[in-house]
Amino acid sequence: MLLVFNRVGERNPDHTVPRLQELTRHLWQGERQRGGPLLCDRRIPIIATGLNQLRQLGAAGSVLLRFGRDHLQPRLEAIGSPRREAVDIRRKRRPRAAGRSIRHRYGGQPRSRP
């Protein structure tokens, strides 16, 4: 969910955004599993920005604040998943034996091909 604030009237987004984070925490914050990862199933990513920031820096600039994070980010980082990205990086770094099957790596015998 993307919230775009326009500075019109008395309301100050610097006070409104933290208040919205507290009121909507149950919608976006994951649940820590005992000894395991953060579970984010059925959670809604909420992202906020200001209309003036969008006009000045564009959608590709660091103008988006995803609730639960402490800094402004560009669009792709704000909507991305740091956990998934970390897993992808680890997978790329891990050496893989060429031609080995999953069964072979976990103790099973590879099937012979006819």
Side-chain angles (χ1 to χ4, degrees), residues 86-112:
V87 168
D88 291 344
I89 289 169
R90 281 195 303 270
R91 285 182 182 159
K92 287 179 184 176
R93 289 181 182 164
R94 183 176 25 189
R96 297 188 104 183
R100 296 185 117 189
S101 69
I102 291 174
R103 288 184 59 201
H104 182 70
R105 279 185 274 157
Y106 293 101
Q109 295 299 319
R111 290 189 286 178
S112 60

Side-chain angles (χ1 to χ4, degrees), residues 32-51:
R32 180 67 57 190
Q33 301 298 305
R34 182 180 289 174
L38 190 66
L39 182 64
C40 294
D41 291 347
R42 299 180 185 240
R43 299 296 181 221
I44 302 169
I46 301 177
I47 300 168
T49 190
L51 190 57

Side-chain angles (χ1 to χ4, degrees), residues 38-97:
L38 190 66
L39 182 64
C40 294
D41 291 347
R42 299 180 185 240
R43 299 296 181 221
I44 302 169
I46 301 177
I47 300 168
T49 190
L51 190 57
N52 290 338
Q53 291 174 310
L54 281 174
R55 284 183 182 143
Q56 291 172 359
L57 300 173
S62 294
V63 297
L64 302 172
L65 175 68
R66 182 164 172 172
F67 286 13
R69 297 182 185 173
D70 60 357
H71 58 283
L72 296 174
Q73 298 175 298
R75 180 188 47 177
L76 294 178
E77 289 178 29
I79 62 175
S81 171
R83 287 185 313 141
R84 194 186 103 230
E85 291 164 5
V87 168
D88 291 344
I89 289 169
R90 281 195 303 270
R91 285 182 182 159
K92 287 179 184 176
R93 289 181 182 164
R94 183 176 25 189
R96 297 188 104 183

Side-chain angles (χ1 to χ4, degrees), residues 14-42:
D14 295 334
H15 300 290
T16 304
V17 171
R19 179 78 175 129
L20 279 174
Q21 285 180 340
E22 289 303 315
L23 291 172
T24 60
R25 186 172 300 279
H26 65 284
L27 298 172
W28 56 263
Q29 188 174 45
E31 297 175 10
R32 180 67 57 190
Q33 301 298 305
R34 182 180 289 174
L38 190 66
L39 182 64
C40 294
D41 291 347
R42 299 180 185 240

